Amino acid sequence: MKTNPASWSRGRLIAVIAAGFVLLLLVGVGVYGLITGPRQTNDPSPDPTPTVTAPGESEPSTSGPPRVIPSHDPDAFARNVVEALFAWDTGSGLMPLDYSAAILEVGDPSGTEQAGLASDIAAYLPSREAWIELRQYATTQHLVIDDSFVPEAWDQAVEQAQPGQLPPGATAVTIEGTRHREGVWNGEPVTSEHSVSFTVFLACPPPAPQFRTGLCHVLRLSQLDNPLR
């Protein structure tokens, strides 16, 4: 029996757009770093990756990645962080590292959790190779948040933490939502949806110069689909 090439190609596109979902489930952080401390690693940091324009695509857009809106409110800030984290466009001319930088800008001002946060963010974004593949189909992504709450397990974590182990104003917000990806094949839209859940660890300390006048900052992200409950 012969296979229709158009049908096969369309099926391949859907598989490519959804492939990141499976990869993100397999590649996770595993530890949160806040209670157990920063992770130790001997792996060198990756070199910065230049922006690459795939053959045949239009010139890159001059717009940058989504910025995290500052807030003093933990729940509002957590939502702002994840909306920026999940909102990307492969046709923007940017690369995953550009989107990572936008989140790191609102990271731990002390620098203690920055290395761990960078690793966490990388697990949520496509690899450079996957990004270039997705760019061929003008793939974009965004997150629709269904619920956000402070998990009960966080209270237990705070009780077990040693004095001074958690930064001032530390808390956790678990996010539940639906991740949407859209692409284009032969002028026709192709979409994919996937339910996700995870926890954002953040701190909203009292006003002080070293704490950015009380604004919240993100500390770490849990493994995707392995949130605190």
Side-chain angles (χ1 to χ4, degrees):
M1 182 177 64
K2 295 184 178 180
T3 302
N4 188 319
S7 298
W8 183 89
S9 298
R10 184 180 178 86
R12 179 174 179 272
L13 172 58
I14 295 175
V16 168
I17 292 178
F21 302 156
V22 177
L23 290 176
L24 291 178
L25 289 175
L26 296 177
V27 182
V29 186
V31 292
Y32 301 145
L34 297 177
I35 302 301
T36 60
R39 280 186 298 174
Q40 301 297 322
T41 177
N42 295 321
D43 294 335
S45 299
D47 294 330
T49 305
T51 299
V52 177
T53 301
E57 76 170 6
S58 59
E59 289 298 317
S61 168
T62 57
S63 61
R67 300 296 177 181
V68 179
I69 301 174
S71 178
H72 299 271
D73 178 77
D75 186 81
F77 181 72
R79 285 172 169 259
N80 295 342
V81 168
V82 301
E83 286 177 349
L85 175 63
F86 280 83
W88 48 255
D89 180 354
T90 59
S92 65
L94 303 174
M95 296 298 288
L97 284 178
D98 298 310
Y99 288 88
S100 296
I103 307 300
L104 290 173
E105 286 182 0
V106 293
D108 179 13
S110 72
T112 302
E113 299 292 345
Q114 284 293 79
L117 177 60
S119 178
D120 298 346
I121 296 170
Y124 278 74
L125 293 171
S127 67
R128 180 177 181 274
E129 293 74 18
W131 187 270
I132 294 174
E133 178 74 9
L134 291 170
R135 180 182 288 175
Q136 300 180 48
Y137 309 108
T139 308
T140 63
Q141 176 181 278
H142 70 277
L143 179 71
V144 175
I145 299 175
D146 298 322
D147 195 13
S148 59
F149 54 90
V150 177
E152 294 182 2
W154 176 249
D155 293 334
Q156 301 175 8
V158 173
E159 292 177 358
Q160 297 173 5
Q162 298 297 319
Q165 190 171 10
L166 296 176
T171 187
V173 177
T174 291
I175 303 288
E176 296 176 346
T178 303
R179 179 173 52 192
H180 298 262
R181 283 190 179 181
E182 296 85 29
V184 177
W185 175 254
N186 285 340
E188 296 184 7
V190 178
T191 63
S192 179
E193 298 180 2
H194 182 74
S195 296
V196 295
S197 60
F198 51 93
T199 299
V200 180
F201 298 92
L202 62 152
C204 299
Q210 67 270 34
F211 297 136
R212 297 179 181 174
T213 65
L215 289 175
C216 300
H217 53 265
V218 61
L219 299 172
R220 297 293 300 272
L221 303 170
S222 79
Q223 184 181 26
L224 186 67
D225 291 333
N226 188 22
L228 289 184
R229 295 293 186 182

